[in-house]
């Protein structure tokens, strides 16, 4: 599966898990947070799709409700992999 396809699937999964997504020019960065009880993922429009996918995956990894939802095996495998620093 291509990165853009995986990003689209991950975003759809995050939305099903209750996240709101914002696509903004952030000057590098992004990620998940909670504001007034609402789960958010901010994606930097200046970032490439792989970086955006990493931010969504990181949020999904820490959300037990998200990982219980149906998804492709390719996305499930990516969520299971931890990034090595």
């Amino acid at each position: 599966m291509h990165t853009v396809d995986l990003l689209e699937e991950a975003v759809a999964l995050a939305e099903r898990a209750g996240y709101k997504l914002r696509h903004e020019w952030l000057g590098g960065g992004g990620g998940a947070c909670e504001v007034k009880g609402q789960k958010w993922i901010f994606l930097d429009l200046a970032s490439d799709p792989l970086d955006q996918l990493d931010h969504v995956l990181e949020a999904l990894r820490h959300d037990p409700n998200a990982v219980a939802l149906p998804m492709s095996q390719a996305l499930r495998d990516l969520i299971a992999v931890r990034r090595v620093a």
Side-chain angles (χ1 to χ4, degrees):
M1 215 178 226
H2 294 286
T3 302
V4 173
D5 296 328
L6 287 167
L7 175 59
E8 290 173 356
E9 182 183 355
V11 164
L13 177 66
E15 289 172 335
R16 287 195 323 268
Y19 286 89
K20 302 286 185 187
L21 277 93
R22 292 285 304 256
H23 301 267
E24 303 279 341
W25 295 100
L26 300 172
C33 67
E34 190 170 315
V35 179
K36 295 182 180 180
Q38 178 63 56
K39 300 184 291 187
W40 286 91
I41 300 175
F42 291 88
L43 298 178
D44 189 350
L45 291 171
S47 296
D48 63 45
L50 185 56
D51 286 337
Q52 292 181 19
L53 176 60
D54 285 340
H55 286 300
V56 178
L57 292 175
E58 189 60 28
L60 295 174
R61 282 185 187 111
H62 296 288
D63 189 329
N65 296 326
V67 296
L69 293 171
M71 68 187 85
S72 71
Q73 188 60 47
L75 185 59
R76 188 168 301 283
D77 292 345
L78 283 175
I79 289 173
V81 172
R82 295 265 185 225
R83 241 182 143 184
V84 178

